[in-house]
Amino acid sequence: GFERRRAVERKHGRIAMMAMVGCLVHNADIEFPGYLSLSQKLKFSDIPNGMMGITKVPAAGIIQILLFFGLVEMAWWPASKYDGDYGVGFFGAKFDAEKK
């Protein structure tokens, strides 16, 4: 019902915010050192900014990303958690129910 839709919308909003932070960080040229794919000699710095970047990531990397998102979806942020408190805290800080 409505509560589940609200919980899913809250979770999708958090995912969208994390994706936007990832775009901002990458566009600011803050990248991991080293190789994204050793076999293809592809460095993290070789990935272009913007939407064209996803086309340069090897298929195995895309599969790893999707599997990680599936793990997060099923294990850490289940849609059945209607209150939106996933227990991860605010930048690692945990508050009791009175401070929330």
Side-chain angles (χ1 to χ4, degrees):
F2 177 73
E3 289 296 321
R4 184 181 188 292
R5 290 180 190 268
R6 179 176 280 172
V8 169
E9 182 66 24
R10 187 181 303 122
K11 181 171 63 169
H12 289 167
R14 290 177 180 178
I15 292 169
M17 286 186 278
M18 287 191 303
M20 191 64 216
V21 168
C23 282
L24 292 173
V25 166
H26 187 69
N27 287 339
D29 293 325
I30 301 170
E31 295 149 348
F32 290 116
Y35 287 90
L36 176 64
S37 174
L38 282 173
S39 62
Q40 296 181 8
K41 302 283 189 228
L42 181 65
K43 292 184 176 183
F44 284 102
S45 59
D46 295 337
I47 303 298
N49 293 341
M51 292 300 291
M52 289 305 296
I54 198 73
T55 64
K56 303 297 182 193
V57 177
I62 299 293
I63 291 169
Q64 288 176 349
I65 292 169
L66 293 176
L67 287 174
F68 178 72
F69 285 158
L71 176 68
V72 169
E73 176 80 20
M74 300 304 287
W76 289 317
W77 289 1
S80 60
K81 190 86 166 128
Y82 293 158
D83 62 358
D85 184 5
Y86 298 108
V88 292
F90 181 69
F91 293 112
K94 305 235 178 190
F95 299 107
D96 58 2
E98 196 172 294
K99 287 188 177 182
K100 288 183 185 178

